[in-house]
Amino acid sequence: MRTDARENRERILRAAREAFAEQLTECAGAPDEALEDPDPWRGFHAVFRKVCAMQAADRGFTHAFLSRFPDETAFAGERDRAEKGLALLVRRAQGARALRPDLDVPDVVLVLPANRSVVNAAGADAAAAPRRLVGYQLESFRAGLSAGPLPPPAGIELEGLTGVR
């Protein structure tokens, strides 16, 4: 029976690797691309929006990327790569005084479950609601005064947050 469970786990991990290989590479490489941008704020902004948009587009990928699969090094390695790139991006943007000096990588990571919750609860506004949340978050991360308008508001009501419609 233990062999069956182990084989099932291996089959699930293999399927997850195959299903999400492209997205995994894209997500983990997002900070690398952002670091190539000569404007640290624009690079940070781009990677933050991209990851949150990917999260909204494919909920299964987000779960797979954030989960800790036992003995799974592909996801763990790419997660570590993304986190190191994000830390470098944050330090670079802070050095340019584009990000709050008290911002840390866990502050950015904290937005991922919030964004996932908004995506899951938004229903028909599943595209607009995360953009609005991300807009608020980006403005709260920015050093100094707000420089731009937020995306348009989403039509979410408290009743919709329960997940029952």
Side-chain angles (χ1 to χ4, degrees):
M1 196 181 253
R2 285 182 158 218
T3 303
D4 289 342
R6 189 175 312 132
E7 287 174 5
N8 283 338
R9 186 182 78 212
E10 287 301 316
R11 200 173 16 255
I12 291 168
L13 289 173
R14 213 174 16 261
R17 276 192 301 269
E18 291 169 9
F20 300 123
E22 187 176 317
Q23 292 147 308
L24 180 63
T25 301
E26 185 179 353
C27 187
D32 298 336
E33 291 173 28
L35 287 165
E36 293 176 12
D37 192 317
D39 181 335
W41 170 251
R42 191 173 54 218
F44 178 83
H45 187 277
V47 74
F48 192 80
R49 284 199 180 279
K50 180 177 189 168
V51 170
C52 288
M54 288 177 71
Q55 189 177 34
D58 191 334
R59 297 172 202 175
F61 169 70
T62 300
H63 182 72
F65 188 69
L66 297 177
S67 294
R68 297 277 181 200
F69 293 118
D71 305 323
E72 180 52 43
T73 56
F75 282 101
E78 292 293 17
R79 254 193 329 270
D80 290 345
R81 176 179 159 215
E83 200 163 358
K84 286 176 184 172
L86 182 58
L88 184 57
L89 189 60
V90 165
R91 285 193 305 274
R92 181 174 170 246
Q94 285 172 325
R97 299 181 190 252
L99 287 179
R100 299 170 54 109
D102 59 349
L103 182 82
D104 203 353
V105 171
D107 299 322
V108 178
V109 172
L110 181 64
V111 174
L112 295 177
N115 190 52
R116 180 173 52 195
S117 293
V118 168
V119 167
N120 289 337
D125 282 321
R131 282 194 303 266
R132 182 79 171 180
L133 176 67
V134 168
Y136 274 121
Q137 292 301 313
L138 282 167
E139 288 304 313
S140 73
F141 293 162
R142 186 189 282 270
L145 299 175
S146 174
L150 292 171
I156 296 178
E157 297 176 3
L158 287 176
E159 182 180 337
L161 295 179
T162 63
V164 179
R165 294 204 176 250

